[in-house]
């Protein structure tokens, strides 16, 4: 009987790996560099070699392992096919098939990194105890994952849950990284908060601590906590955009809980004070009482979710 499962989270700089027991208890975690040169040809062989080295170190046989789950930054459909991962240099590839072959036929399940992070938060994190949730990751960009009845919503091409690219502003002139205008990511990410802050500062002559140094998302949050008027105005705009975007999502999905993670979420509950009023203003009344929670797994959410992909497939 299998007693272990591996979770893998492929990032642009490092690959995070975790060894779990079958009940989801993390036994060990480690990282290896992500070698993106030459079209990322070394990434999956490096992952396979690292998993096999850990098995040897722990005295684990192939029969002891239920499988390996892997999350990657790109659209991954229900068959485990990734439809391009620009940051890794990958074109379309069958993650499940290729990694399984490198692991001697071991069971492999694959998913988009934000989706598997959402699954991890549902399983062992801020969304634990709920089966219908939306997870939002506020970092350099805005990522998201949708879980319905305990299952990840991938969509036809693996692009389900791209929350950051919901359109929330008609009067935008700067393009989002995706090429569109007015995406949620332009206002609710760490870089988006800086954009809002700089625009707020430029439109006013009022004094602000933000004028005395480099403007960052953390600097804005610290200034909000100190009661800085222009920082508070920036936070209000941030909350308006994110609340509106989440209201649209909830009107379609009617989740039990919305879990907010990523670097920006380290600001804590103060974020909710700016998001909730605009969420309640914009959402359909049937979803107004949704729970909000902060993510709790941090950078480990991806390895937890990847491991859960395997357990869901084999149980």
């Amino acid at each position: 009987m299998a007693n272990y499962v591996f979770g893998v989270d492929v990032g642009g700089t490092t690959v995070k790996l975790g060894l779990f027991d079958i009940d989801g208890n993390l036994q060990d975690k480690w990282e290896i560099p992500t070698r993106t040169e030459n079209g990322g040809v070394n990434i999956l062989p490096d992952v396979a070699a690292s998993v096999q080295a850990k098995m040897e170190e722990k005295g684990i046989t192939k029969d002891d392992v239920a499988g390996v789950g892997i999350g990657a930054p790109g659209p991954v459909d229900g068959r485990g096919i990734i439809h391009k991962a620009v940051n890794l240099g990958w074109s379309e590839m069958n993650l499940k098939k290729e990694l399984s072959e490198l692991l001697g036929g071991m069971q492999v399940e694959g998913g988009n990194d934000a989706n598997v992070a959402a699954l991890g938060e549902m399983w062992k994190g801020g969304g634990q105890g709920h089966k219908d949730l939306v997870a939002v990751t506020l970092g350099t960009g805005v990522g998201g994952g949708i879980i319905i009845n305990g299952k990840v919503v991938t969509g036809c091409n693996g692009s389900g849950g791209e929350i950051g690219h919901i359109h929330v502003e008609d009067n935008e002139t700067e393009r989002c990284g995706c090429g569109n205008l007015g995406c949620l990511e332009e206002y609710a990410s760490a870089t988006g908060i800086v954009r809002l802050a700089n625009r707020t500062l430029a439109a006013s002559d009022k004094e602000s601590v933000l004028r005395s140094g480099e403007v960052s998302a953390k600097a804005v949050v610290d200034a909000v906590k100190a009661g800085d008027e222009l920082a508070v105005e920036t936070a209000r705009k941030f909350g308006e955009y994110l609340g509106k975007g989440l209201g649209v999502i909830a009107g379609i999905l009617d989740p039990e809980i919305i879990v907010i993670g990523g670097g920006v979420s380290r600001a804590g509950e103060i974020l909710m004070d700016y998001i909730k009023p605009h969420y309640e203003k914009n959402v359909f009344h049937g979803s107004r009482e949704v729970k909000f929670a902060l993510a709790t797994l941090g950078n480990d959410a991806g390895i937890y979710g990847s491991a859960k992909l395997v357990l869901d497939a084999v149980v």
Side-chain angles (χ1 to χ4, degrees):
M1 178 180 174
N3 297 308
Y4 299 99
V5 61
F6 286 90
V8 180
D9 181 16
V10 182
T13 305
T14 61
V15 179
K16 300 175 181 65
L17 301 98
L19 172 65
F20 298 81
D21 66 26
I22 213 73
D23 295 318
N25 300 305
L26 182 61
Q27 304 297 306
D28 197 0
K29 65 176 181 177
W30 67 103
E31 297 182 1
I32 60 173
T34 306
R35 294 200 287 160
T36 57
E37 65 273 13
N38 300 320
V41 68
N42 295 307
I43 297 172
L44 290 185
D46 286 351
V47 168
S50 188
V51 167
Q52 289 165 334
K54 186 61 64 172
M55 289 171 64
E56 185 174 346
E57 174 193 326
K58 300 288 187 180
I60 297 171
T61 69
K62 190 173 168 183
D63 290 340
D64 291 327
V65 181
V68 177
I70 182 168
V76 182
D77 65 26
R79 299 168 295 168
I81 296 174
I82 188 165
H83 298 269
K84 187 181 266 190
V86 176
N87 292 342
L88 305 180
W90 287 349
S91 54
E92 185 171 299
M93 171 172 55
N94 191 322
L95 277 178
K96 289 176 61 171
K97 181 174 181 290
E98 296 211 14
L99 185 55
S100 177
E101 289 176 352
L102 289 166
L103 289 166
M106 196 179 292
Q107 174 102 17
V108 172
E109 298 296 329
N112 166 265
D113 56 353
N115 286 343
V116 298
L119 192 61
E121 288 291 342
M122 181 204 76
W123 186 35
K124 297 289 185 179
Q128 195 167 0
H130 302 279
K131 294 296 184 184
D132 294 274
L133 66 84
V134 173
V136 187
T137 304
L138 307 177
T140 305
V142 173
I146 295 167
I147 312 291
I148 299 296
N149 196 26
K151 302 296 182 184
V152 173
V153 175
T154 60
C156 175
N157 298 304
S159 295
E162 286 291 349
I163 290 165
H165 301 290
I166 290 175
H167 182 81
V168 294
E169 176 58 69
D170 289 336
N171 299 308
E172 183 56 67
T173 57
E174 292 184 36
R175 292 202 175 270
C176 175
C178 76
N180 289 337
L181 294 167
C183 293
L184 179 60
E185 184 169 293
E186 294 189 82
Y187 316 104
S189 62
T191 50
I193 290 171
V194 171
R195 177 184 287 109
L196 289 176
N198 285 330
R199 289 177 178 179
T200 302
L201 292 169
S204 173
D205 294 327
K206 292 179 181 177
E207 290 298 315
S208 171
V209 297
L210 296 175
R211 298 190 191 279
S212 62
E214 181 182 355
V215 178
S216 65
K218 183 181 185 302
V220 172
V221 170
D222 289 344
V224 169
K225 292 176 179 176
D228 184 275
E229 190 175 342
L230 294 188
V232 169
E233 175 64 13
T234 299
R236 187 195 63 75
K237 291 175 182 176
F238 156 84
E240 182 175 358
Y241 283 118
L242 186 52
K244 182 189 294 185
L246 294 177
V248 170
I249 295 162
I252 298 167
L253 300 172
D254 190 26
E256 296 176 88
I257 188 169
I258 295 173
V259 179
I260 298 179
V264 175
S265 73
R266 286 196 288 269
E269 290 295 333
I270 193 171
L271 284 180
M272 305 305 185
D273 296 337
Y274 293 95
I275 299 168
K276 285 181 180 178
H278 295 287
Y279 171 84
E280 291 168 359
K281 176 184 175 182
N282 287 283
V283 74
F284 177 66
H285 65 83
S287 298
R288 196 163 288 147
E289 300 303 318
V290 71
K291 297 176 184 177
F292 279 82
L294 294 171
T296 61
L297 295 178
N299 290 331
D300 291 342
I303 58 174
Y304 273 91
S306 296
K308 186 69 163 69
L309 278 178
V310 175
L311 296 177
D312 284 347
V314 300
V315 173

